[in-house]
């Protein structure tokens, strides 16, 4: 089939075809060493578009480490949540479950190299993916990878290096680039999974179809749905047992509250279009939309001890909450989420050496919160039991102009690749107030009845609003081949933000080929993460349970510009800044053995966090009944050091093909200094240094023989530390290392039909029990860096044509 001149030049620019015109080799295609001798296939032969703007750059030739995960790699993990997929494939990527953690139950924080979730940049087809509307753990506002359908992905490229000079804000830990499927054909998958304890059943369905539009382009459509039941790894709370004993006439539920994954329904659709307008002009566009509904439990309210809700008062004569909730109540927290990403652009060439790309994108994430089975006690008998808590919305608009020039110089055997361009971005954050009853301070407050919807106060009219931030950027990125052995790179970026001013960042890279199949590489770079409009302007209210007193406490997080926050020491936020150095060795052999070892050091200054908690000063109005307040601040510095080890071995075994992959990461973060929240606050320091395991690795073996495919994966997590999160008197517990075994068997019935069955955590292993949380019925730590629900068994059917 004819391929137009433009299509080939674009593919060449993206590194998807070789200079000779052949489609780039995937991980299983044989290659040729730079000396011209034939080499066995290795995983390092995959072509890249992330971290380099040079054409025809392979994974082995990059100046910084990049992992490439194929569609087969993604399908080897039984999950429609991209975060779970990456957690099993990328050694330094960790995602937490966080049951009963407000919005983080549904938008789970994910970290790369132990850094903050919003210090990793997410791209889709090379374009920035918008953030979630949720401000999560310690105020991080990151992109939610769970909104991207895994069935739509062709491959994933993970750049494990600082790249702010190349891509802008957030690319401190690295870059995750999701490449969408664009090939013709249809694939339909149906699957079911369930935990060994009989809960958490998940019914998953996905469909993808694609067409080649003659010689003029391609169109791919995606659809995906998932329905997951809740899980529960819970014991009855001791105070609930005591309450039942004291009130034998009542039938107290066992358990009174549930710790586990939420009930969740998700629907995702999308498209990916490429159309040639002429031999030198191509139109492209893609879009992703997702909708989800979920419900999670909150802490149980004990009628005998929750005096703020169950108090009787003459203000409401004859009213007693026991008549409504005689055995207490566990509020039900609802999350409805709508997410949209649209990108459109034109690209072409002015000359065969000079290519251009103009694009615009729109991203929006909106989260509506609700609360059922609750009460605003201060309203007494007039209180509803269900509340609309309000909506959070993050909107982003981007416009990009990118150019790529291959500069021939007589002194060099290969051209210098010069990329340059500009970007405009606008972020807008909006808070819509909830039902007035969800934040009302009723008449009963004067008698000690708690105001607000009990469990999660709604966003009040004073918290509602809309805030925007604009940025303008320009960059240049060069890669220079200095003969057959040396390659060097340099990048610089200037970016100006309407909220706080400008920043300049740079990156230097070098690669030296010791032999045609062994090379050293290294980088030095600076980076930044700009505070978002949400972090700069919003306030929030949360409730928690003190594990010592079993009393509900209410914490307020104030905007740094709030007068009370400024009275307590808040100052305007500034960007987090980083300095990254890395040095690595990469190799490949004629025996199919390849790999890399990369050491790195990341120093971060003015890191972003919540301040220490402060009591409300005497005489200060406190209508929301805050137990304590804090605010966002640039407070401390850290140093992160680590090493990534990746090894691959491909060879024929009997009548089939065997692949072995080792991936290991050691990562240590230490707090260097600070003023209020971390260096002088033991809880915050422990969370930053020890909350995540320093060691994480996996070893995967697969064997494809005839119609059969076999896979075994061992996952390892080192020890880590957790805390209760009490308002006062925090308690710590260290958890030991964990190893999990996953197994799967696939059978190809014919060219159209295939089956796959498997199990994650085959031996049904559980971590140490969280003894410090036993008072509220929690068996395993809510902050575990792995699934604590035990063995998960699954089956999949796939139809392709």
């Amino acid at each position: 089939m004819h391929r137009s001149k433009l299509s080939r030049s674009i593919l060449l620019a993206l590194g998807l075809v070789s200079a000779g015109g052949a489609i780039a080799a995937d991980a299983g295609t044989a290659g040729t060493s730079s000396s011209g001798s034939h080499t066995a296939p290795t995983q390092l032969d995959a072509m890249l578009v992330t971290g380099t703007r040079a054409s025809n750059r392979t994974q082995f030739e990059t100046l910084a480490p990049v992992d490439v995960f194929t569609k087969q790699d993604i399908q080897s993990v039984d999950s429609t949540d991209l975060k779970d997929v990456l957690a099993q494939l990328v050694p330094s990527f960790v995602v937490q479950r966080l049951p009963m953690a407000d919005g983080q139950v549904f938008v789970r924080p994910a970290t790369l190299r132990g850094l903050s979730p919003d210090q990793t940049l997410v791209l889709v087809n090379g374009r920035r993916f918008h953030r979630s509307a949720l401000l999560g753990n310690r105020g991080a506002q990151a992109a939610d990878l769970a909104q991207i359908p895994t069935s739509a992905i062709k491959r994933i490229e993970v750049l494990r290096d600082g790249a702010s000079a190349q891509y802008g804000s957030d690319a401190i830990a690295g870059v995750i680039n999701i490449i969408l499927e664009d090939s013709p054909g249809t694939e339909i998958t149906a699957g079911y999974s369930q935990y060994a304890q009989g809960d958490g059943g998940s019914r998953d369905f996905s469909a993808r179809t694609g067409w080649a539009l003659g010689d003029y382009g391609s169109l791919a459509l995606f659809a995906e749905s998932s329905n997951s039941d809740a899980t529960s790894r819970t014991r009855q709370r001791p105070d609930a047992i005591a309450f039942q004993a004291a009130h034998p006439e009542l039938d107290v539920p066992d358990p009174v509250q549930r710790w586990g994954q939420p009930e969740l329904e998700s629907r995702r659709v999308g498209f990916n279009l490429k159309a040639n307008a002429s031999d030198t002009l191509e139109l492209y566009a893609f879009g992703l939309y997702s909708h989800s509904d979920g419900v999670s439990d909150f802490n149980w309210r004990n009628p005998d001890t929750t005096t703020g809700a169950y108090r009787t008062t003459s203000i409401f004569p004859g009213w007693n909450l026991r008549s409504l909730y005689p055995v207490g109540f566990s509020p039900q927290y609802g999350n409805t989420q709508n997410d949209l990403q649209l990108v459109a652009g034109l690209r072409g060439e002015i000359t065969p050496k000079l290519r251009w790309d103009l694009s615009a994108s729109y991203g929006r994430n909106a989260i509506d919160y609700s609360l059922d089975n609750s009460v605003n006690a201060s309203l007494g008998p007039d209180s509803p039991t269900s509340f609309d808590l309000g909506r959070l919305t993050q909107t982003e608009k981007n416009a990009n102009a990118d150019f790529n020039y291959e500069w021939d110089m007589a002194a060099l055997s290969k051209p210098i690749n010069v990329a340059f361009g500009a970007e405009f971005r606008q972020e807008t954050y909006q808070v819509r107030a909830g039902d007035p009853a969800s934040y009302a301070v009723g008449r009963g407050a004067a008698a000690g009845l708690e105001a607000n919807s009990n469990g999660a106060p709604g966003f009040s009219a004073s918290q509602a609003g809309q805030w925007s931030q604009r940025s303008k950027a320009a960059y240049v990125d060069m890669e220079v081949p200095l003969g057959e052995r040396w390659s060097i790179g340099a990048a610089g970026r200037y970016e100006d933000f309407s909220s706080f001013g400008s920043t300049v960042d740079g990156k230097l890279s070098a690669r030296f080929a010791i032999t045609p199949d062994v090379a050293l590489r290294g980088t030095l770079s600076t980076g930044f993460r700009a505070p978002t409009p949400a972090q700069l302007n919003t306030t929030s209210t949360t409730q928690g349970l003190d594990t010592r007193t079993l009393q509900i406490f209410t914490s307020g997080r104030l905007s740094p510009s709030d007068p009370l926050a400024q009275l307590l020491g808040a100052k305007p936020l500034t960007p987090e800044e980083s300095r990254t150095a890395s040095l690595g060795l990469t190799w490949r052999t004629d025996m199919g053995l390849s790999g890399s070892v990369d050491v790195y050091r990341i120093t971060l200054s003015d890191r972003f966090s919540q301040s220490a908690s402060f009591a409300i000063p005497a005489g200060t109005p406190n209508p929301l009944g805050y137990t304590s307040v804090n605010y966002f601040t640039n407070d401390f510095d850290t140093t992160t050091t680590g090493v990534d080890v990746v090894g691959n071995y491909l060879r024929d075994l009997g009548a089939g093909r065997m692949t072995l992959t080792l991936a290991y990461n050691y990562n240590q973060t230490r707090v260097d200094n600070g003023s209020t929240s971390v260096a002088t606050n033991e809880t915050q320091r422990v969370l930053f240094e020890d909350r995540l395991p320093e060691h994480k690795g996996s070893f995967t073996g697969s064997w494809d023989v005839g119609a059969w495919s076999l896979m075994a994966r061992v996952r390892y997590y080192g020890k880590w530390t957790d805390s209760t999160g009490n308002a006062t008197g925090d308690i710590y517990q260290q958890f030991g290392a964990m190893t999990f075994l996953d197994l799967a068997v696939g059978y190809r019935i014919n060219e159209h039909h295939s089956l796959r069955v498997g199990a994650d955590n085959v031996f049904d292993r559980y971590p140490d029990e969280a003894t410090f949380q036993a008072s509220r019925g929690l068996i395993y730590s809510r902050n575990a860096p792995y699934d604590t629900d035990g063995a998960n068994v699954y089956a999949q059917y796939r139809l392709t044509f």
Side-chain angles (χ1 to χ4, degrees):
M1 182 179 69
H2 170 71
R3 182 186 296 128
S4 71
K5 176 181 177 183
L6 173 69
S7 295
R8 182 184 175 280
S9 67
I10 295 300
L11 292 171
L12 178 64
L14 294 179
L16 300 179
V17 299
S18 67
I23 294 295
D26 65 16
T29 305
T32 304
S33 73
S34 57
S35 62
S37 62
H38 179 76
T39 62
T42 73
Q43 296 282 19
L44 299 183
D45 292 324
M47 306 301 259
L48 298 178
V49 300
T50 309
T52 177
R53 291 182 170 91
S55 62
N56 202 28
R57 178 75 71 188
T58 70
Q59 190 178 0
F60 177 69
E61 297 168 331
T62 57
L63 307 185
V66 181
D67 295 321
V68 180
F69 302 104
T70 66
K71 184 171 187 155
Q72 290 70 33
D73 296 325
I74 297 166
Q75 291 177 345
S76 73
V77 180
D78 175 49
S79 179
T80 59
D81 189 327
L82 184 54
K83 292 180 181 178
D84 291 328
V85 173
L86 288 171
Q88 290 204 25
L89 297 178
V90 181
S92 61
F93 190 89
V94 176
V95 61
Q96 298 167 285
R97 278 289 178 192
L98 295 179
M100 209 184 297
D102 296 358
Q104 292 185 117
V105 176
F106 306 100
V107 184
R108 297 181 296 147
T111 66
L112 186 68
R113 288 184 165 178
L115 301 183
S116 177
D118 54 5
Q119 290 170 345
T120 298
L121 177 64
V122 176
L123 308 175
V124 176
N125 282 352
R127 296 304 177 206
R128 178 184 286 265
F129 190 72
H130 59 277
R131 308 177 198 276
S132 166
L134 175 71
L135 273 70
N137 193 20
R138 295 187 292 273
Q141 188 183 7
D144 184 11
L145 287 162
Q147 303 303 320
I148 301 172
T150 57
S151 59
I153 300 174
K154 182 176 184 178
R155 72 177 186 277
I156 302 172
E157 298 180 358
V158 180
L159 171 64
R160 294 179 278 111
D161 194 42
S164 292
Q166 296 165 291
Y167 295 104
S169 178
D170 307 348
I172 291 177
V175 178
I176 298 174
N177 191 6
I178 313 298
I179 310 299
L180 298 179
E181 185 64 76
D182 59 359
S183 59
T186 298
E187 182 174 275
I188 299 173
T189 303
Y192 180 78
S193 64
Q194 183 174 287
Y195 285 94
Q197 291 199 20
D199 59 4
S202 180
R203 295 154 293 280
D204 306 313
F205 176 84
S206 66
R208 178 195 64 82
T209 188
W211 302 272
L213 305 177
D215 292 340
Y216 301 100
S218 64
L219 172 64
L221 303 177
F222 325 110
E224 189 173 279
S225 70
S226 178
N227 293 278
S228 300
D229 299 332
T231 63
S232 180
R233 301 296 176 266
T234 315
R235 293 194 181 104
Q236 183 65 304
R237 284 175 45 160
D239 61 333
I241 296 174
F243 179 79
Q244 178 70 86
H247 302 276
E249 74 281 4
L250 299 177
D251 185 13
V252 179
D254 186 3
V256 290
Q257 69 183 67
R258 181 185 56 80
W259 291 95
Q261 299 179 32
E263 180 182 339
L264 184 64
E265 292 186 9
S266 301
R267 305 288 184 269
R268 306 180 186 98
V269 295
F271 73 93
N272 190 19
L273 170 68
K274 298 176 184 178
N276 299 324
S278 70
D279 282 350
T280 58
L281 182 64
E282 181 182 69
L283 165 70
Y284 63 91
F286 65 88
L288 299 170
Y289 172 77
S290 69
H291 171 85
S292 63
D293 288 289
V295 178
S296 175
D297 278 21
F298 269 4
N299 287 300
W300 177 63
R301 273 60 177 169
N302 186 331
D304 285 350
T305 59
T306 310
T307 56
Y310 281 89
R311 184 188 305 269
T312 58
T313 169
S314 59
I315 296 177
F316 302 120
W319 180 78
N320 189 329
L321 190 57
R322 290 178 187 266
S323 62
L324 180 62
Y325 297 125
V327 296
F329 63 99
S330 296
Q332 301 291 293
Y333 188 62
N335 176 295
T336 298
Q337 193 165 178
N338 290 282
D339 192 274
L340 175 67
Q341 177 85 2
L342 292 173
V343 176
L346 287 170
R347 55 192 176 196
E349 60 181 41
I350 299 173
T351 71
K353 297 288 187 180
L354 179 60
R355 296 177 292 275
W356 58 271
D357 189 330
L358 303 178
S359 66
S361 67
Y362 173 86
R364 181 178 183 270
N365 178 261
I367 308 176
D368 290 273
Y369 294 110
S370 62
L371 197 68
D372 295 322
N373 199 48
S374 183
V375 69
N376 182 334
S378 71
L379 297 177
D382 296 327
S383 172
T385 58
S386 296
F387 302 86
D388 170 15
L389 302 182
R391 173 186 295 172
L392 303 177
T393 305
Q394 170 78 9
T395 304
E396 298 181 24
K397 301 174 184 178
N398 290 268
N400 293 82
D402 301 295
F403 300 87
N404 201 85
Y405 179 62
E406 294 183 5
W407 181 14
D408 290 316
M409 293 191 66
L412 300 175
S413 59
K414 297 180 181 179
I416 299 173
N417 194 85
V418 182
F420 55 95
E423 179 182 47
F424 171 81
R425 184 166 74 255
Q426 177 176 295
E427 293 187 50
T428 302
Y429 195 75
Q430 184 177 26
V431 178
R432 176 183 64 78
D435 293 336
S438 70
Y439 58 86
V441 181
R443 290 186 297 125
L449 286 170
E450 292 174 341
N452 316 310
S453 49
N454 200 299
F459 301 113
S460 68
S462 63
Q463 292 175 308
Q466 180 173 297
W467 306 270
S468 293
Q469 175 176 272
R470 296 174 302 280
S471 66
K472 298 173 288 185
Y475 75 88
V476 61
D477 188 354
M478 300 179 63
E479 293 188 27
V480 183
L482 300 177
E484 292 298 320
R485 294 188 172 221
W486 276 102
S487 296
I488 60 173
R493 186 182 185 94
Y494 169 83
E495 193 149 358
D496 181 76
F497 290 82
S498 59
S499 298
F500 51 80
S502 61
T503 179
V504 177
D505 290 278
K507 182 173 184 176
L508 296 174
S509 309
R511 181 182 183 275
F512 176 71
I514 301 172
T515 74
D517 296 316
V518 179
L520 281 170
R521 61 190 178 197
T523 66
L524 294 171
S525 65
T526 63
F528 72 101
R529 191 204 64 80
T532 68
Q535 294 164 342
L536 289 166
N537 298 285
T538 64
T539 65
S540 69
T541 303
T542 59
Q543 291 184 339
L545 181 74
D546 191 297
T547 60
R548 292 179 183 270
T549 65
L550 295 183
Q551 293 297 307
I552 302 297
F553 60 85
T554 303
S555 300
R557 194 264 302 151
L558 307 178
S559 163
S561 59
D562 186 280
L564 175 57
Q566 293 180 342
L567 176 67
L568 296 172
K571 293 181 172 54
L573 295 177
T574 60
E576 298 173 307
E577 298 183 346
S578 68
R579 297 184 301 278
T580 300
S582 68
L583 180 65
L585 177 71
T586 183
W587 68 88
R588 59 186 181 183
T589 71
D590 291 338
M591 299 181 296
L593 179 65
S594 61
S596 62
V597 177
D598 294 273
V599 296
Y600 57 88
R601 178 183 173 91
I602 305 168
T603 58
L604 269 160
S605 58
D606 296 328
R607 285 199 67 169
F608 181 81
S609 183
Q610 290 179 186
S611 72
S613 294
F614 300 93
I616 303 295
T620 302
N622 188 17
L624 295 179
Y626 288 138
T627 309
S628 61
V629 296
N630 55 46
Y631 50 83
F632 290 145
T633 179
N634 297 100
D635 182 65
F636 65 106
D637 305 335
T638 61
T639 298
T640 298
T641 55
V643 58
D644 288 319
V645 180
V646 177
N648 299 284
Y649 183 49
L650 307 178
R651 64 161 295 166
D652 294 330
L653 180 64
R657 185 68 174 277
M658 180 186 70
T659 304
L660 301 176
T661 301
L662 170 69
Y664 166 78
N665 171 255
Y666 168 77
N667 193 88
Q668 182 190 76
T669 295
R670 290 291 177 261
V671 175
D672 298 327
N673 56 70
S675 56
T676 60
S677 71
V678 174
T680 60
N681 183 294
E682 179 67 9
T683 296
Q684 291 289 322
R685 184 192 64 77
V686 169
L687 295 184
F688 270 92
E689 295 187 350
D690 303 321
R691 170 65 63 87
L692 299 177
E694 292 184 348
H695 300 271
K696 181 174 179 279
S698 66
F699 181 74
T700 305
S702 63
W703 186 38
D704 297 319
V705 53
W708 294 90
S709 62
L710 310 175
M711 189 277 291
R713 176 180 292 121
V714 177
R715 294 178 284 129
Y716 173 81
Y717 298 81
K719 65 182 181 180
W720 58 284
T721 300
D722 198 7
S723 70
T724 55
N726 287 343
T728 59
D730 219 343
I731 305 171
Y732 304 96
Q733 182 177 342
Q734 186 178 90
F735 294 87
M738 287 291 294
T739 302
F740 302 100
L741 173 65
D742 309 327
L743 297 175
V745 178
Y747 180 69
R748 189 175 65 254
I749 302 171
N750 54 41
E751 62 177 323
H752 300 298
H753 305 273
S754 62
L755 296 172
R756 177 183 171 89
V757 296
D760 293 339
N761 188 5
V762 170
F763 296 118
D764 198 27
R765 298 199 63 206
Y766 293 88
D768 301 334
E769 293 192 7
T771 56
F772 70 144
Q773 298 277 17
S775 60
R776 50 179 169 174
L778 179 63
I779 301 177
Y780 309 108
S781 172
R782 64 192 300 194
N783 296 308
Y786 37 69
D787 191 345
T788 60
D789 285 334
N792 186 52
V793 181
Y794 62 90
Q796 296 174 342
Y797 163 75
R798 182 168 287 115
L799 170 66
T800 58
F801 56 91

